[in-house]
Amino acid sequence: FIWLSLNVLLFWKTFLLYNQGPEYHYLHQMLGLGLCLSRASASVLNLNCSLILLPMCRTLLAYLRGSQKVPSRRTRRLLDKSRTFHITCGVTICIFSGVHVAAHLVNAFNFSVNYSEDFVELNAARYRDEVVKCTYIYFFKVPGLTGVCMVLVLFLMITASTYAIRVSNYDIFWYTHNLFFVFYMLLMLHVSGGLLKYQTNLDTHPPGCINLNGTHSLNNHLPDYLSEHFHESFPEEFSKPDELTQNRFVKICMEEPRFQANFPQTWLWISGPLCLYCAERLYRCIRSNKPVTIISVIRHPSDVMEIRMVKENFKARPGQYIILHCPSVSALENHPFTLTMCPTKTKATFGVHLKIVGDWTERFRDLLLPPSSQDSEILPFIQSRNYPKLYIDGPFGSPFEESLNYEVSLCVAGGIGVTPFASILNTLLDDWEPYKLRRLYFIWVCRDIDSFRWFADLLCVLHNKFWQENRPDYVNIQLYLSQTDGIQKIIGEKYQALNSRLFIGRPRWKLLFDEIAKCNRGKTVGVFCCGPSSISKTLHKLCNQNNSYGTRFEYNKESFS
């Protein structure tokens, strides 16, 4: 809402400037509403084209999220809206691009119809009703050609950003989104036309005045009671700026209006964010130019693969994610994955879990794991196996970093959405005392029983650790199985601690929130969700509801897509 209001305010302010500004008086007489709409929409486009890059400066956002210079939790939570802000800017660019194009079509028509014989410098046509040249200037010169190309690029980027295309073919989304560099180069060229001009000598030629030295202005602008005498010598008092004759004011000036093309301002808007983004990409390129060392690759049930690796001087916080790039799979394509194991003071190993759901992950799995029918296979680093080169970029921040900064946190995972919480659980297993967290509710919902095996060992070890330390209420684990097929597979001595915490069906969210509120009266509970949108919407709605225990729920979410 705030961003919408800011855009509307900027649009209206620019609209009034071109509608009422004296320097645009003659141009406005020629183009009318089209001038105001084209310039007002251009100012909104400049603002959004500059700020849409900032949410993509991931290293900067990760630094701000972990910096002590941003002490407020509310301020840090605004960083979680970076993706939403990026989408909002993109939608705004699409809407006002349509307004901008429509306004310039009107301008092209007005340039032809409203040909000015008095101020030839303002004309785009050579004579009245010359539609051909106006169309040529608007569509076949630099401003027009770059504008048409930008519309085509923007159309490709927006259509490929839809949810259906991102899910069905992520490659299309990835490659088309990288056309943003072409878009910005065209944008820099687009403003070099100089077609719209403003008046520069307002002090010697106020808009609407009568120039005594120019006959063409006199015939068109002198009133009837003076036109028949305009060849005679005017009295000396008529040289004053304003003179009352027959109870009417007449503005007299001695100089023709001079016009100059608008100075391009787009580069002032986008140069800073664009340079910042390019500098960050250069830094990320330098930081990620050294491949990691793969320690082991583990095959898990339900098409999940785990990679454990090490890299010199690599540091990360629980909840962060990295971007994997394997040139053997794709020279340009890379994908983000949440860290499920972070390096600590005692060990340098870190790891990720990958769900095999697309072409890239399938090709990546085939390179790392040989065909096997076994449910689980561990390939140690010491075994003679030629792994492909793997590069990582990151780490980058996510909302889940805040889960350790609440006294009470509720973490809800759906299926593979458990990965952000795995690094947090691993961190608590190493040492929980340095963090503010004193109670963790961990809810994990899966469709099949085998999915729980991804982190079953970790959950059991964590559960036993806090029981041995006489803190059984530190971690409250609840596992929900939405399908009952094969439930007997998890029954066994190894996972006895989890069997007692396994429930059939879906969580009763309202009762769960009431129980948490009752046990944590007057406290602030951080709610973190990574899973399907249906669960996310339900949790978000419950967080906004009041309760009789004075407990406040703060909602945080990470999306799959």
Side-chain angles (χ1 to χ4, degrees):
F1 176 78
I2 296 176
W3 185 244
L4 176 63
S5 302
L6 180 61
N7 281 281
V8 171
L9 179 62
L10 178 61
F11 181 88
W12 183 244
K13 182 179 179 180
T14 310
F15 185 93
L16 293 179
L17 172 64
Y18 283 86
N19 186 50
Q20 302 176 1
E23 62 269 32
Y24 300 103
H25 174 77
Y26 295 112
L27 187 62
H28 181 264
Q29 282 185 335
M30 180 184 297
L31 300 182
L33 187 63
L35 171 67
C36 304
L37 289 177
S38 63
R39 303 318 303 160
S41 58
S43 63
V44 175
L45 290 173
N46 286 336
L47 174 64
N48 286 269
C49 286
S50 64
L51 296 184
I52 196 173
L53 291 174
L54 295 181
M56 297 297 100
C57 296
R58 298 175 177 176
T59 304
L60 176 62
L61 295 181
Y63 170 77
L64 293 176
R65 193 186 300 273
S67 174
Q68 297 299 325
K69 297 179 181 180
V70 189
S72 173
R73 180 187 296 161
R74 184 180 296 272
T75 304
R76 288 197 299 268
R77 289 183 68 208
L78 290 177
L79 300 177
D80 301 340
K81 305 294 183 180
S82 59
R83 179 175 175 270
T84 302
F85 181 73
H86 177 77
I87 296 175
T88 303
C89 288
V91 173
T92 305
I93 290 174
C94 289
I95 294 174
F96 283 94
S97 291
V99 176
H100 190 72
V101 170
H104 272 306
L105 292 176
V106 175
N107 288 341
F109 176 78
N110 287 335
F111 265 127
S112 173
V113 175
N114 300 328
Y115 180 85
S116 175
E117 297 180 356
D118 294 339
F119 312 113
V120 182
E121 296 178 67
L122 295 179
N123 293 316
R126 292 171 297 185
Y127 51 85
R128 188 178 301 276
D129 296 330
E130 187 188 21
V131 181
V132 176
K133 184 178 180 182
C134 292
T135 306
Y136 172 79
I137 290 176
Y138 262 84
F139 293 100
F140 295 99
K141 283 196 173 182
V142 173
L145 282 176
T146 54
V148 172
C149 292
M150 281 193 296
V151 170
L152 293 177
V153 171
L154 188 63
F155 176 78
L156 291 176
M157 294 176 66
I158 291 299
T159 52
S161 300
T162 57
Y163 178 79
I165 293 182
R166 292 201 318 270
V167 172
S168 61
N169 196 326
Y170 188 85
D171 295 355
I172 296 178
F173 164 76
W174 171 253
Y175 288 117
T176 55
H177 235 60
N178 279 280
L179 292 174
F180 81 94
F181 185 76
V182 177
F183 180 86
Y184 276 95
M185 293 301 101
L186 293 172
L187 182 60
M188 299 289 279
L189 295 174
H190 180 67
V191 297
S192 62
L195 188 62
L196 303 180
K197 301 176 181 179
Y198 68 97
Q199 185 183 341
T200 59
N201 58 337
L202 293 175
D203 51 344
T204 58
H205 186 102
C209 72
I210 299 173
N211 183 12
L212 299 180
N213 295 329
T215 57
H216 67 278
S217 296
L218 292 173
N219 286 325
N220 293 331
H221 298 289
L222 276 176
D224 294 337
Y225 59 86
L226 289 178
S227 60
E228 61 185 12
H229 305 293
F230 78 94
H231 289 294
E232 300 179 2
S233 298
F234 281 86
E236 183 179 354
E237 60 267 16
F238 274 96
S239 62
K240 299 178 182 180
D242 296 295
E243 200 58 56
L244 182 63
T245 304
Q246 295 186 3
N247 297 326
R248 297 179 65 180
F249 281 99
V250 178
K251 290 184 177 181
I252 305 291
C253 58
M254 305 300 294
E255 185 176 293
E256 290 281 357
R258 294 193 300 268
F259 300 96
Q260 179 178 322
N262 274 321
F263 179 76
Q265 295 184 349
T266 299
W267 70 272
L268 295 175
W269 288 86
I270 68 175
S271 58
L274 187 59
C275 290
L276 178 63
Y277 180 80
C278 292
E280 195 216 47
R281 289 297 295 263
L282 179 61
Y283 168 74
R284 288 168 53 184
C285 182
I286 297 174
R287 182 178 63 177
S288 60
N289 65 349
K290 186 177 180 180
V292 299
T293 301
I294 299 179
I295 299 298
S296 62
V297 180
I298 305 174
R299 188 195 305 272
H300 288 289
S302 303
D303 288 330
V304 171
M305 178 177 64
E306 179 184 358
I307 305 175
R308 296 180 183 178
M309 47 200 152
V310 293
K311 184 179 181 180
E312 184 179 0
N313 297 326
F314 179 80
K315 297 179 181 179
R317 297 188 297 269
Q320 292 186 322
Y321 69 95
I322 59 176
I323 295 178
L324 297 184
H325 174 58
C326 183
S328 300
V329 178
S330 175
L332 299 176
E333 191 176 352
N334 50 58
H335 292 274
F337 295 96
T338 306
L339 288 169
T340 54
M341 180 186 300
C342 292
T344 62
K345 296 180 180 179
T346 58
K347 66 177 187 300
T349 305
F350 61 96
V352 295
H353 282 63
L354 290 73
K355 179 75 172 178
I356 313 300
V357 292
D359 295 338
W360 190 91
T361 51
E362 288 178 357
R363 295 195 301 267
F364 190 43
R365 176 199 57 191
D366 295 339
L367 289 174
L368 295 178
L369 289 174
S372 175
S373 59
Q374 299 177 4
D375 292 335
S376 178
E377 179 180 339
I378 301 180
L379 303 177
F381 174 69
I382 58 174
Q383 186 174 340
S384 59
R385 177 162 179 78
N386 295 323
Y387 291 110
K389 285 188 177 181
L390 180 63
Y391 300 87
I392 65 168
D393 186 14
F396 303 108
S398 76
F400 304 112
E401 293 183 56
E402 287 294 310
S403 60
L404 296 174
N405 296 327
Y406 286 89
E407 186 176 351
V408 182
S409 290
L410 169 63
C411 297
V412 179
I416 195 61
V418 72
T419 53
F421 306 118
S423 61
I424 297 171
L425 297 177
N426 271 306
T427 300
L428 295 178
L429 185 62
D430 291 333
D431 189 8
W432 57 271
E433 294 182 357
Y435 303 100
K436 184 178 179 181
L437 183 65
R438 290 298 175 264
R439 180 171 295 177
L440 174 65
Y441 295 89
F442 178 70
I443 314 297
W444 189 8
V445 184
C446 290
R447 293 181 178 179
D448 58 275
I449 201 71
D450 287 336
S451 299
F452 292 118
R453 298 180 183 272
W454 301 337
F455 298 103
D457 293 330
L458 172 62
L459 294 175
C460 288
V461 173
L462 189 67
H463 174 268
N464 295 333
K465 169 186 170 64
F466 287 108
W467 270 87
Q468 294 174 3
E469 295 180 2
N470 197 24
R471 299 187 63 90
D473 59 342
Y474 191 96
V475 177
N476 186 328
I477 301 174
Q478 297 182 27
L479 308 179
Y480 289 87
L481 183 65
S482 58
Q483 296 180 1
T484 59
D485 295 339
I487 188 174
Q488 68 279 1
K489 292 183 181 180
I490 200 173
I491 303 298
E493 188 67 27
K494 184 178 181 180
Y495 302 120
Q496 190 63 38
L498 297 184
N499 289 332
S500 61
R501 298 178 180 272
L502 178 65
F503 302 92
I504 306 301
R506 302 183 182 276
R508 303 176 67 178
W509 298 114
K510 177 61 176 174
L511 294 178
L512 179 64
F513 269 69
D514 290 341
E515 178 186 352
I516 295 175
K518 184 177 180 180
C519 297
N520 302 275
R521 298 173 183 264
K523 295 182 180 180
T524 300
V525 179
V527 180
F528 300 86
C529 175
C530 185
S533 59
S534 57
I535 297 180
S536 174
K537 292 178 181 178
T538 302
L539 296 181
H540 198 178
K541 182 178 179 180
L542 290 173
C543 288
N544 293 330
Q545 294 180 359
N546 296 324
N547 56 79
S548 58
Y549 304 104
T551 305
R552 180 186 175 190
F553 293 92
E554 290 187 350
Y555 178 76
N556 305 267
K557 173 184 177 292
E558 180 79 352
S559 175
F560 286 149
S561 56

